[in-house]
Amino acid sequence: MIDRQLCGWRIRTEIDLPELTAWSGDDREPDIHIVVGTTGSDALPDNVPRLPVTVHDDGTSEFVLFDLARYVVDPEARRVTISSRGAPDSPDVRLFLFGTVFGILCFRRGLLPLHAASINIDGKAIAFAGKSGVGKSTLANAFIRLGYPALADDVTVVDLKRPGGPVVLPGLPRLKLWRDALEAAEQSTEGLQRVRETLEKYHMPMAGDYQESPLPLGAVYLMTRVPDERQVRLEQARGINALTRLENDIYRHGIGRQLLGRKRIVDLGMTMLRDVPVYELDNLEHLDGVEGLATRLAARHRTD
């Protein structure tokens, strides 16, 4: 099996992960092992956990989806064991591996995952954060079409411990786009894999449009989708409002509080706000103006 890479981690995996590129770094030992546990009808527990993630006394984290799979992360976030009713490498199992489980790995490793897409503009990572459906991936796709590489989609991982300030680590080299967003950009769904079998949402590989090395975090935009009749609003967020909005846009922030405690999550947010400007951005519901918005924002950061 080929070792894979994500966020600079060397990942040795027993299941195929076509979303990730092959490891191209040094010959160090793997940072994370992904292994297969029980499969079949006995793979999942009978009782529903009270919380999305169970943290056991030894520090092991367990995330269970009762119709799909159980994911167990060891206390050092070096091993993920997947037990599933069906194939452990199915698209649905991989979807949550790169979603909630990815978030757990980040929290456990002292990294801050934002619910954001991030773009390379003149050597800095510009992150666009917000709830699902706010248009993060659609805007990232517009930047890519304008020639700006992307570092991440959906989950932007920030390392706050670097000496020079917060750094964004490269994430998955693909976008998740709804059919209407692809059609608005005159891009075909042919040959693209669905995110889930029941959704009209697709994985679009970034190919040559992917930023493979870490970049300093230059700014964070907290996005809100507003009705078409309103104008786009862009203003800097400050003080407690900025902290509250940023906390809500941490990826799986409820699980983060469960694993680390609310104080630690707030501390991470305050650390970022000390070093990185944060803006509020209203994004219109229609898709016609997304390329213009991307052009405007790119120009803004080229002159900063």
Side-chain angles (χ1 to χ4, degrees):
M1 183 66 69
I2 298 174
D3 286 0
R4 301 287 179 172
Q5 56 190 355
L6 175 64
C7 294
W9 304 328
R10 183 175 187 172
I11 298 178
R12 182 155 294 170
T13 173
E14 293 182 358
I15 65 173
D16 189 24
L17 301 176
E19 295 87 349
L20 303 181
T21 57
W23 173 251
S24 59
D26 56 30
D27 60 354
R28 70 174 186 262
E29 287 296 308
D31 300 286
I32 297 173
H33 291 261
I34 298 175
V35 301
V36 176
T38 305
T39 59
S41 59
D42 297 328
L44 305 182
D46 296 326
N47 298 321
V48 178
R50 185 173 61 86
L51 295 172
V53 173
T54 301
V55 182
H56 298 283
D57 291 342
D58 64 353
T60 298
S61 305
E62 183 178 14
F63 171 56
V64 178
L65 290 167
F66 280 88
D67 61 338
L68 187 65
R70 177 195 344 210
Y71 307 83
V72 177
V73 182
D74 77 329
E76 290 77 34
R78 297 187 62 86
R79 186 180 185 90
V80 179
T81 303
I82 301 174
S83 301
S84 61
R85 291 196 187 280
D89 60 352
S90 70
D92 284 1
V93 173
R94 299 200 315 270
L95 175 65
F96 288 95
L97 173 65
F98 292 127
T100 299
V101 179
F102 185 23
I104 293 171
L105 290 170
C106 292
F107 289 125
R108 283 301 197 200
R109 286 173 166 262
L111 302 168
L112 181 65
L114 294 178
H115 198 181
S118 54
I119 304 297
N120 175 1
I121 301 178
D122 279 9
K124 290 191 175 181
I126 309 300
F128 298 90
K131 296 179 180 179
S132 297
V134 79
K136 303 182 296 294
S137 300
T138 302
L139 184 58
N141 190 34
F143 275 109
I144 288 174
R145 288 165 60 81
L146 292 172
Y148 296 94
L151 285 86
D153 173 51
D154 200 38
V155 184
T156 288
V157 180
V158 183
D159 186 348
L160 296 168
K161 299 177 182 178
R162 299 290 178 101
V167 167
V168 172
L169 307 180
L172 274 74
R174 58 98 177 97
L175 298 177
K176 294 191 293 185
L177 292 167
W178 291 98
R179 178 184 287 274
D180 61 345
L182 287 164
E183 291 176 347
E186 299 182 349
Q187 293 170 292
S188 173
T189 61
E190 185 176 355
L192 300 182
Q193 185 180 69
R194 291 176 186 253
V195 171
R196 297 197 77 172
E197 293 182 3
T198 57
L199 296 180
E200 285 287 309
K201 194 173 190 179
Y202 298 84
H203 291 295
M204 189 182 77
M206 292 181 190
D209 305 310
Y210 178 59
Q211 169 69 35
E212 296 184 346
S213 56
L215 288 179
L217 179 58
V220 177
Y221 288 84
L222 307 174
M223 296 175 63
T224 303
R225 178 152 281 185
V226 299
D228 290 348
E229 63 268 16
R230 284 178 52 182
Q231 293 185 340
V232 170
R233 179 180 63 91
L234 173 60
E235 60 184 53
Q236 188 162 0
R238 302 181 185 276
I240 190 65
N241 177 55
L243 181 60
T244 301
R245 286 287 310 274
L246 183 63
E247 183 182 356
N248 288 334
D249 286 338
I250 293 174
Y251 187 75
R252 300 293 190 262
H253 60 272
I255 292 175
R257 288 195 295 266
Q258 183 183 342
L259 293 173
L260 304 180
R262 172 75 190 285
K263 183 180 183 302
R264 177 58 179 154
I265 293 296
V266 171
D267 288 345
L268 291 173
M270 291 178 65
T271 298
M272 178 179 290
L273 287 171
R274 283 197 296 267
D275 296 319
V276 179
V278 174
Y279 302 93
E280 294 180 286
L281 173 64
D282 288 343
N283 189 34
L284 300 181
E285 289 183 341
H286 66 76
L287 299 173
D288 297 338
V290 66
E291 190 164 309
L293 178 59
T295 300
R296 173 186 168 190
L297 293 170
R300 188 171 188 270
H301 286 282
R302 285 201 308 270
T303 58
D304 282 351

